[in-house]
Amino acid sequence: QKIEFFSNPEEIISICCGFNFSIAITKNGVFSWGDNSYGQLGNGKNENQNKPQKIEFFSNPEEIISICCGWSSCIAITKNEVFSWGNNDQGQLGNGKNEDQNKPQKIEFFSKSFSKLQFPINSNFYKKERILFLILCREFCFESVFDQDYLNLDLLKIFINF
């Protein structure tokens, strides 16, 4: 069934789904809807949403490289940081705590590593030549595409050996 909220599908960059919830990155922002029992919608609340709601934390969607949804948690890779939110009873958010988070929280572990990564301000992630970049983070496995011209291969080696 068509989601009427998104009147122009060309504005949608990507959509990811967890268990009973979804997140969309669009040219106009990041939106989430569905089950929010653990704060996995990232909107600062724990109420279910039956239509897309903007995640205000991500004010500039152009800085988001990828968002991945797990069962009831999410991880976002941005140009400079990695963020997580949602269920955290097993420490799956990677923030050193075990409390659920209903807003994106920076994962400090990745802060130093991302300082080596170089992205142009108006990077185009839809070029034909891409590299598939896999990051394994406990229960998460998510993919991001980076332009070959801007990928720091030393950083890639760090994450492969992680």
Side-chain angles (χ1 to χ4, degrees), residues 11-26:
E11 292 182 5
I12 298 172
I13 297 168
S14 71
I15 295 179
C16 56
C17 301
F19 183 71
N20 294 327
F21 74 102
S22 302
I23 295 182
I25 303 171
T26 74

Side-chain angles (χ1 to χ4, degrees), residues 60-65 77-83 114-115 117-123 125 146:
N60 187 358
E62 291 178 1
E63 294 201 0
I64 298 172
I65 296 167
I77 302 174
T78 69
K79 289 183 179 179
N80 299 308
E81 303 289 348
V82 178
F83 298 90
F114 268 68
S115 66
L117 196 57
Q118 300 172 3
F119 290 100
I121 293 173
N122 294 316
S123 182
F125 294 105
F146 295 86

Side-chain angles (χ1 to χ4, degrees), residues 34-52:
D35 180 29
N36 198 24
S37 302
Y38 302 97
Q40 63 265 44
L41 297 185
N43 59 8
K45 302 175 184 176
N46 286 70
E47 301 165 359
N48 296 344
Q49 301 293 325
N50 61 9
K51 61 182 180 177

Side-chain angles (χ1 to χ4, degrees), residues 87-106:
N87 187 326
N88 196 29
D89 62 345
Q90 301 297 313
Q92 59 265 49
L93 298 184
N95 61 5
K97 302 175 185 175
N98 287 85
E99 297 92 30
D100 298 344
Q101 301 293 319
N102 61 14
K103 292 182 184 177
Q105 307 289 316
K106 182 167 63 169

Side-chain angles (χ1 to χ4, degrees), residues 145-162:
V145 290
F146 295 86
D147 296 304
Q148 287 179 329
D149 298 339
Y150 300 99
L151 179 64
N152 181 317
L153 294 178
D154 291 334
L155 179 64
L156 180 61
K157 290 175 190 173
I158 289 169
F159 282 114
I160 289 174
N161 294 321
F162 176 65

